[in-house]
Amino acid sequence: IKPSLVESKGGPLNPVPIDVYGLTVLENGDAFLVVEFQASHPLIVRVDKTGKQVLTKKITESARQIWISKIIPTADGKFLLIGHESLDALAMKIDALGNILWEKKEDRRQMELFVDGIVSKDGGFILVGNSGKYDLLHRGPSEVWVGKYDSEGERKLEKNFIGRYGSLAQSSDNRYTIVYDKGTSDSQDIWVESFSHNLEKLWESQILTVKRGFSNFKITALPNSSFIIAGDKEGKAYVVKISASGSNVWTFLEETIDRASSNYGLISLNSEVLIASSTYVPKDPKDIQQKIRVIKFAGN
């Protein structure tokens, strides 16, 4: 990906590290990414199936500073970008050329951001948001909301509870299940809650408590309506399978890695699950290497 294809006021952007905040694949095989060459100024980049970069476009004008957490393909072939602008949660729908079709903001008088979301079967969206007063290290009081929005981004239903972060999955029987953290300090208290299609609570289950550490746990659904959850426990990859009723089926703790990443990528492929994370390998203070690890699990 070439940042020089995008012009800034002072000319082409200087080569800098690239952060990727979202990736999806189109039906024709093109890759559609949200990337960042400059802090808070994300771009849409489209790469065709031959590897050619065919589109690079700023999402907004340079005066606006936004952060995108995820790109979600919509039922009509467009894309929903979620994240925040300043202290407001932001949802923005764009087409395949990066044109903004509509955008919505939510201001609850604290720091608001959307952290995850999926397309509902009626063509709308289920979005997870955070509203809190936490600091840069994610400490402080916070509230999670799970909202049901129509195809134009108007909120129709909402469920609120104390917590932070949040990763969402939809099971084959049309239930929504979220994994999130009830902790407010350096410790974590990871829970899973399941809701019906109209956000009525079905069950909840505690997954893990740790006295110190941070990990943004992720969840994905399996075909039998069970779930795989992945995160970090004291620097080790921690994976749990939860049944459709919320009971623990099995737990996996990676004992061979010195230090795993606090962020994980998680995807289900029929009855198998792929989990990606990064591991830091410190040789000396001036030579710290980073390795990307992928673990494949059988869903059973």
Side-chain angles (χ1 to χ4, degrees), residues 219-292:
I219 185 171
T220 189
L222 296 174
N224 62 358
S225 296
S226 61
F227 304 92
I228 297 290
I229 298 167
D232 177 288
K233 179 182 179 182
E234 299 173 348
K236 311 292 186 181
Y238 187 79
V239 185
V240 182
K241 181 177 180 180
I242 299 296
S243 71
S245 60
S247 60
N248 187 313
V249 179
W250 53 255
T251 300
F252 170 84
L253 178 63
E254 175 63 82
E255 295 286 359
T256 61
I257 302 299
D258 291 333
R259 180 67 204 178
S261 169
S262 61
N263 290 299
Y264 288 78
L266 182 61
I267 186 172
S268 59
L269 303 171
N270 296 320
S271 61
E272 297 178 332
V273 177
L274 296 178
I275 300 173
S277 65
S278 60
T279 302
Y280 293 96
V281 185
K283 291 186 175 181
D284 62 64
K286 296 182 180 180
D287 184 15
I288 299 177
Q289 297 182 0
Q290 185 176 13
K291 295 182 178 180
I292 305 300

Side-chain angles (χ1 to χ4, degrees), residues 121 169-176 221-227 244:
K121 293 184 177 180
Q170 183 175 17
S171 59
S172 57
D173 56 359
N174 201 27
R175 288 183 295 115
Y176 305 108
L222 296 174
N224 62 358
S225 296
S226 61
F227 304 92

Side-chain angles (χ1 to χ4, degrees), residues 12-295:
L13 294 173
N14 293 324
V16 292
I18 300 172
D19 291 320
V20 179
Y21 292 103
L23 166 66
T24 188
V25 179
L26 309 186
E27 290 185 359
N28 67 353
D30 288 6
F32 202 68
L33 303 91
V34 177
V35 303
E36 189 176 87
F37 299 112
Q38 288 181 315
S40 303
H41 295 291
L43 314 171
I44 289 295
V45 175
R46 184 168 176 172
V47 180
D48 69 19
K49 56 186 177 182
T50 70
K52 182 180 179 181
Q53 190 170 332
V54 296
L55 173 70
T56 305
K57 183 176 181 178
K58 293 180 180 179
I59 296 176
T60 61
E61 65 273 13
S62 58
R64 298 179 62 183
Q65 294 188 343
I66 66 175
W67 175 79
I68 300 298
S69 60
K70 189 173 183 179
I71 178 171
I72 305 169
T74 64
D76 57 359
K78 306 300 190 298
F79 306 92
L80 186 73
L81 307 180
I82 60 172
H84 70 89
E85 180 176 7
S86 298
L87 299 179
D88 299 338
L90 175 68
M92 178 184 296
K93 189 174 182 180
I94 65 173
D95 62 20
L97 297 177
N99 299 311
I100 298 175
L101 304 178
W102 55 254
E103 61 178 280
K104 304 288 183 179
K105 294 182 183 180
E106 295 207 27
D107 180 7
R108 305 185 182 208
R109 305 304 179 187
Q110 298 192 84
M111 180 178 178
E112 281 76 51
L113 65 156
F114 286 119
V115 294
D116 200 11
I118 57 177
V119 176
S120 57
K121 293 184 177 180
D122 59 7
F125 312 99
I126 304 295
L127 301 181
V128 180
N130 284 190
S131 178
K133 295 182 179 180
Y134 33 71
D135 60 22
L136 294 177
L137 298 178
H138 310 283
R139 298 171 302 198
S142 177
E143 182 180 70
V144 175
W145 81 85
V146 179
K148 191 170 186 178
Y149 298 77
D150 65 19
S151 59
E152 297 298 316
E154 297 295 333
R155 187 175 69 249
K156 301 302 181 182
L157 292 172
E158 182 174 298
K159 183 70 66 172
N160 304 80
F161 37 90
I162 298 301
R164 54 187 176 180
Y165 322 120
S167 174
L168 188 68
Q170 183 175 17
S171 59
S172 57
D173 56 359
N174 201 27
R175 288 183 295 115
Y176 305 108
T177 302
I178 180 175
V179 57
Y180 70 101
D181 182 13
K182 287 187 178 182
T184 60
S185 64
D186 291 336
S187 63
Q188 286 198 283
D189 186 9
I190 306 301
W191 286 73
V192 178
E193 292 197 27
S194 189
F195 305 93
S196 67
H197 68 281
N198 58 357
L199 300 188
E200 294 179 348
K201 185 175 177 178
L202 301 175
W203 52 260
E204 67 176 359
S205 179
Q206 188 181 39
I207 298 298
L208 173 72
T209 60
V210 292
K211 293 182 178 180
R212 188 174 180 85
F214 162 72
S215 180
N216 193 348
F217 278 69
K218 300 294 177 64
I219 185 171
T220 189
L222 296 174
N224 62 358
S225 296
S226 61
F227 304 92
I228 297 290
I229 298 167
D232 177 288
K233 179 182 179 182
E234 299 173 348
K236 311 292 186 181
Y238 187 79
V239 185
V240 182
K241 181 177 180 180
I242 299 296
S243 71
S245 60
S247 60
N248 187 313
V249 179
W250 53 255
T251 300
F252 170 84
L253 178 63
E254 175 63 82
E255 295 286 359
T256 61
I257 302 299
D258 291 333
R259 180 67 204 178
S261 169
S262 61
N263 290 299
Y264 288 78
L266 182 61
I267 186 172
S268 59
L269 303 171
N270 296 320
S271 61
E272 297 178 332
V273 177
L274 296 178
I275 300 173
S277 65
S278 60
T279 302
Y280 293 96
V281 185
K283 291 186 175 181
D284 62 64
K286 296 182 180 180
D287 184 15
I288 299 177
Q289 297 182 0
Q290 185 176 13
K291 295 182 178 180
I292 305 300
R293 303 170 58 244
V294 178
I295 305 175

